[in-house]
Amino acid sequence: MHTKFGSVVARADRGTFRAKYTYRGEIITKTFKDRLSAEAWLSGERSRVEASEAGIQQWTSPTERKRQEEAVKRRRTLFCDYVIKEFAPTWLEYAADGSKLAAGSQRKHREYLNHLSHAFFWKYPLSGITQEDISRWLADLENFGGATPRKKTFQLLKAVYAKAVAEGAVPKSPVTMKAPAVPKSRQAQIPPATADELQTIYAAMPTTTRIAVWLGSILDLRIGEVVSLQVQDWNPKTQTLRVCHSADENGGLKATKTATSNTTQPVPPQLGKLLEEACNGKQPTDFIVTCADGTHITPNRLRDHFNEAKCKAGRPDLHFHTLRATSITAAVAAGASLKDTMTWGRHADAQTSIERYQRASGTERMREIATGIESTLMPHEPTVEELEAEIAETEKRLASLKSQLAAIIHQNR
């Protein structure tokens, strides 16, 4: 005959029934909506206690049992199910800072997710994938379609397991190795444009688009941001330019590439005068850079103008995007720190700024320093060639100054 085990107490104020018993100094309770369910639970708990006392089965608390059940359930969760149900819905639409991803970024995310879905461990248990599996998969990725997709897909896998570890779905991540290296792109190796080259390109472009050269090389703007600038973005009182839009695939307005790209840039005096001229006579919503007839220009059309002019400067290798590297290089030469570069470059990824800074302050800067040290410490008799080159450069500079002076005198008459 069983002795009394626990109790069921009606809680009239809440309309519930609380089952309660004490075992090994631990008070165990659970609340139910009806007495019958409470008594049934209490009966089951008594059987567990009796089995424990008889040495048949070790007793664990309901809380611990639930934890063990969830652990078993997690072990049964397939990697593909966790990715699709728990990770992908947010990752496909939102950035790390919670902002909505642009259409192009969403498309890239879907591409990387599709690549990951072809991994041989796609339908393995989430907790069953090992470091060896990841290493084998990485070896297979050598035949993958491009270095950047390979690295991005690896980073996606790493992010999946970071979330899984944070949520307790797995005890630790098997993704412990470094991401596959991405060789520097050919575009990243293109030398920045010089001041003379920029001036030649500016002069060779149509009057309604030529200011784009300085917007890119001085203010570090992307081509999509340049064609999206409106008159209302220019503030002549504060001499600042608001950057808050980029161009979508059809040439319309969309959000900037990243949240950090959305900013207000200070405009230096000479560029300020050009902006004032470009905005003169226009309505607030009119665009600053336009086609010859005043209509909205697309990035591709502006790129055509730039590409034609760059050849006249003897720089067919330049891309409009190279103007951003030109801006960073000039900033570093002017004394910008790495922190300054990160702010000016408006890069969402700090590594991008670091690479740009290192490039701008790298070999050529070291060469300048070495030459400066040499001229200070080592006696040097200039050669005929050096003197002729310096004279030619001085005469060229003098001619430029005379031309500028003549233009100013003519304007003031």
Side-chain angles (χ1 to χ4, degrees), residues 215 219 229-243 263-268 271-272 275-276 279 288:
L215 292 172
L219 296 190
L229 290 172
Q230 295 175 302
V231 173
Q232 61 190 354
D233 296 325
W234 163 240
N235 188 329
K237 292 183 179 179
T238 60
Q239 292 287 291
T240 55
L241 187 66
R242 183 180 58 175
V243 183
T263 188
T264 298
Q265 294 284 72
V267 177
L271 180 53
L275 278 169
E276 195 63 32
C279 294
I288 295 176

Side-chain angles (χ1 to χ4, degrees), residues 39-49:
E39 290 177 345
W41 177 80
L42 201 59
S43 177
E45 289 299 304
R46 181 175 61 190
S47 298
R48 290 177 180 276
V49 169

Side-chain angles (χ1 to χ4, degrees), residues 273 403-413:
K273 291 180 181 179
S403 176
Q404 293 177 38
L405 177 60
I408 294 173
I409 293 173
H410 179 72
Q411 288 177 356
N412 294 333
R413 284 180 178 175

Side-chain angles (χ1 to χ4, degrees), residues 99-251:
S99 60
K100 187 85 170 179
L101 287 174
S105 296
Q106 289 187 26
R107 185 171 59 253
K108 284 295 183 183
H109 276 209
R110 288 194 296 270
E111 175 189 332
Y112 305 143
L113 180 59
N114 179 58
H115 290 323
L116 183 60
S117 70
H118 287 87
F120 70 85
F121 52 73
W122 179 245
K123 293 187 178 181
Y124 280 23
L126 178 66
S127 60
I129 298 174
T130 65
Q131 291 183 17
E132 289 73 19
D133 291 328
I134 306 299
S135 296
R136 175 185 159 194
W137 176 66
L138 281 174
D140 292 340
L141 286 185
E142 290 301 320
N143 300 319
F144 209 64
T148 298
R150 180 165 61 242
K151 181 175 182 178
K152 294 293 185 180
T153 304
F154 173 85
Q155 291 173 332
L156 165 58
L157 174 65
K158 189 170 184 177
V160 168
Y161 270 102
K163 177 179 172 67
V165 170
E167 294 177 346
V170 293
K172 63 179 182 178
S173 171
V175 190
T176 58
M177 59 290 293
K178 291 183 178 180
V182 176
K184 292 183 178 179
S185 67
R186 292 181 180 178
Q187 187 177 144
Q189 302 306 305
I190 297 173
T194 66
D196 287 342
E197 289 166 350
L198 290 173
Q199 186 59 51
T200 300
I201 295 171
Y202 172 81
M205 288 181 68
T207 56
T208 58
T209 59
R210 58 176 48 165
I211 193 176
V213 174
W214 304 124
L215 292 172
S217 60
I218 295 178
L219 296 190
D220 198 35
L221 302 191
R222 301 174 177 90
I223 196 167
E225 296 166 343
V226 169
V227 301
S228 302
L229 290 172
Q230 295 175 302
V231 173
Q232 61 190 354
D233 296 325
W234 163 240
N235 188 329
K237 292 183 179 179
T238 60
Q239 292 287 291
T240 55
L241 187 66
R242 183 180 58 175
V243 183
C244 55
H245 292 109
S246 189
D248 63 21
E249 296 173 348
N250 300 315

Side-chain angles (χ1 to χ4, degrees), residues 371-407:
T371 301
I373 294 173
E374 179 189 71
S375 64
T376 300
L377 302 179
M378 182 184 294
H380 176 66
E381 190 73 28
T383 65
V384 173
E385 290 78 11
E386 289 175 338
L387 287 172
E388 289 177 342
E390 189 171 344
I391 290 171
E393 186 63 33
T394 302
E395 289 177 342
K396 182 179 178 181
R397 176 62 178 159
L398 182 59
S400 176
L401 291 173
K402 287 181 177 179
S403 176
Q404 293 177 38
L405 177 60

